[in-house]
Amino acid sequence: MNFELKSLDLAACAAEKCDALIVLVSEAFAPGKDALSQLIAQARSSGDLDTKPGKLLQMYRPAAATATRVLLVGVGDGSVRHVRQAVGTAVAAAKGTAVHKILISFAGAAAQKSVRAVVQAVAEATYVYTTTKSKPEGRVLANVWLCAPDAAVAQAELALGTATVAGVELAKEWANRPGNHATPTLLGTAAKALARFPKIQCEVLGPKEVAALGMGSFMSVAQGSREPLRFIVLHYNGAAKTVAPTVLVGKGITFDTGGISIKPAAEMDEMKFDMCGAASVLGVFRALADLKPAINVVGLIPACENMPDGGAVKPGDVVTSMSGQTIENLNTDAEGRLVLCDALTYAARFKPRAVIDIATLTGACVVALGGVRSGMFSADDSLAAALQAAGESSLDPCWRLPLDDEYGEGLKSNFADMANVAGRAGGAITAAKFLQRFTAKMPWAHLDIAGTAWKSGASKGATGRPVGLLLDYVLNQSPAHIAPAQEATKSVAKRKTTAPAVVALKVAATAKTPRKTPRKMATK
Ligand code: BES
Ligand code: MN
Ligand code: ZN
């Protein structure tokens, strides 16, 4: 799908040939003299068009436009959140087998601050998973023009938008693949494929190397599966070697049966999504490949299955983690923390400026926060504030939960340094307290994405979250980067001073990049 910014006002948009024209109409819309503006004004005054976000008025071949379909959609106060919601609704209504090219006119809404959100909303509304379908019917929409009179100022936002979409869609692709099409080995191959992009390197370790590192906790989870584990190490080097990296650690359980503490059958299929943390790390690297910011990022993915078999780890077994701390496994379904703790220990070797783990870690977090905000934990106030802010600016929000030491008391064990579970109460927090024991001295944060990484029910599928949040967070570490919200205002007010950052991102947006992953699937 190709996005282009066009400096066209509403009258010029109405004269363009396209399959659908979507006009974003805010409360503050001031009609011009052109026919389409007049039509919108009439529709509003007659009460047929409501400017509440997402309210739609659809027309077929209206005289006021050249487009085959015209969709007027309310964007409320024109806030980025409302624009995203409205575009999602309008594109979902407009898409069809004959809709290849659409125009989106910002009319009253401010283009420069919402272009990224529009790009993301269009991608979201037209995303289709096809990999394991025998007759794949992919995305039909091919060309999207984003039209505003001052479109040029939104170039950096467009670059950010298309890069985010590339990252989100790579994350969705791997997360949506069933467990037999997304094994630890295949995840390793996907990570290796990212190393075809400049500035990215990838190393994939197998069971022997992981054993040599002493990752006894990670290995104990993998031992019940026939699929060999993989430990994926990705590097994005955009800055000098002396610049401390941000380390992202993604939980990569490619299927979580619960192990010997087996899960009930209902909805167990959704545990193929237990590698969404890993998928989000791959997604961030995909976006970095496009944006090329001057930062260093390391990605670590402990990947394995959690299966029950004759060789599986048993409740009560004690294992020795890479840190030397011993762990009593009281519930083999609390496996995420067991793979993450060794990856966190490994992270220390990079002397990171911050380590963030991303994990579908607890059902308790789903109960606490539902599907709206990811759980966020950090003892470091400035790291927590930066993640919170990145969540808001990317519309991929999180919410900080506490880490009081009292929450960790339930992890006591009579037979090891700690147990892997505490009681039922505060389950998301006790899981975080477990991880914290492996983060000594590093600024660390934990994102529990169990509620936000995928949707259940009729629209079952990965969301690609929290690629947007992570991306805004790491980009904000780049000296050249200007946070998107400020970017919009600054670039209007004093374009010259912000030019370097805008240019850097602009180049990345138009660059041709290699295909994301090989596609050669056929289910049997
Ligand atoms: N992958 C699950 C967490 C999960 C469960 C995410 C349901 C989304 C929906 C994790 O490995 C797990 O099983 N956690 C247990 C921990 C418990 C045994 C302490 C849980 O949340 O039930
Ligand atoms: Mn589990
Ligand atoms: Zn799990």
Side-chain angles (χ1 to χ4, degrees), residues 433-484:
K433 288 305 286 181
F434 177 94
L435 295 175
Q436 194 180 25
R437 296 183 182 208
F438 299 85
T439 61
K441 295 189 202 100
M442 298 185 290
W444 160 78
H446 159 58
L447 292 171
D448 193 333
I449 57 166
T452 53
W454 77 89
K455 288 182 187 151
S456 306
S459 55
K460 192 190 288 180
T463 61
R465 291 177 67 181
V467 169
L469 181 161
L470 293 169
L471 204 54
D472 264 17
Y473 170 76
V474 295
L475 290 177
N476 285 336
Q477 313 310 315
S478 154
H481 181 76
I482 301 152

Side-chain angles (χ1 to χ4, degrees), residues 251 256 263 271 274 331 333 335 360-363 421 450 454:
K251 172 179 173 183
D256 181 12
K263 287 181 181 294
M271 283 299 115
D274 212 16
N331 187 325
D333 199 10
E335 85 298 339
T360 47
L361 204 62
T362 65
V421 289
W454 77 89

Side-chain angles (χ1 to χ4, degrees), residues 326-344:
T326 59
I327 304 162
E328 183 186 14
N329 190 334
L330 286 179
N331 187 325
T332 66
D333 199 10
E335 85 298 339
R337 61 199 80 181
L338 296 176
V339 306
L340 291 168
C341 68
D342 282 341
L344 288 168

Side-chain angles (χ1 to χ4, degrees), residues 41-83:
Q42 277 169 26
R44 277 189 74 183
S45 58
S46 68
D48 287 319
L49 173 64
D50 190 339
T51 54
K52 286 203 191 80
K55 290 286 180 184
L56 267 181
L57 179 59
Q58 304 189 52
M59 295 171 270
Y60 193 69
R61 296 191 187 282
T66 314
T68 313
R69 302 158 191 84
V70 175
L71 294 91
L72 309 180
V73 61
V75 292
D77 58 5
S79 67
V80 179
R81 207 162 57 85
H82 286 161
V83 169

Side-chain angles (χ1 to χ4, degrees), residues 63-262:
T66 314
T68 313
R69 302 158 191 84
V70 175
L71 294 91
L72 309 180
V73 61
V75 292
D77 58 5
S79 67
V80 179
R81 207 162 57 85
H82 286 161
V83 169
R84 188 174 80 168
Q85 183 193 343
V87 171
T89 308
V91 173
K95 75 175 179 192
T97 49
V99 178
H100 302 275
K101 178 181 172 180
I102 64 171
L103 260 62
I104 299 179
S105 168
F106 287 82
Q112 59 269 33
K113 67 175 164 87
S114 43
V115 159
R116 170 171 58 153
V118 171
V119 170
Q120 278 189 261
V122 173
E124 173 79 46
T126 54
Y127 171 83
V128 236
Y129 169 82
T130 58
T131 308
T132 43
K133 302 257 191 177
S134 67
K135 294 182 192 70
E137 284 170 25
R139 176 183 265 142
V140 176
L141 185 61
N143 289 304
V144 184
W145 285 15
L146 308 176
C147 311
D150 54 357
V153 299
Q155 273 296 341
E157 276 275 298
L158 176 66
L160 196 51
T162 53
T164 308
V165 165
V168 163
E169 294 200 347
L170 182 67
K172 283 186 181 179
E173 167 64 20
W174 281 97
N176 282 333
R177 285 193 190 200
N180 62 332
H181 292 269
T183 59
T185 306
L186 286 167
L187 272 194
T189 324
K192 281 264 185 207
L194 285 167
R196 288 182 306 195
F197 291 102
K199 298 180 199 277
I200 295 182
Q201 280 119 45
C202 177
E203 202 188 344
V204 180
L205 311 185
K208 278 198 191 117
E209 292 104 323
V210 164
L213 285 165
M215 294 184 166
S217 183
F218 176 23
M219 284 160 55
S220 74
V221 176
Q223 76 189 38
S225 168
R226 297 197 184 175
E227 289 291 337
L229 63 76
R230 291 288 182 264
F231 187 69
I232 300 167
V233 184
L234 279 156
H235 289 270
Y236 169 79
N237 296 313
K241 280 209 176 85
T242 49
V243 176
T246 301
V247 179
L248 303 177
V249 180
K251 172 179 173 183
I253 299 295
T254 59
F255 197 83
D256 181 12
T257 64
I260 297 297
S261 316
I262 199 161

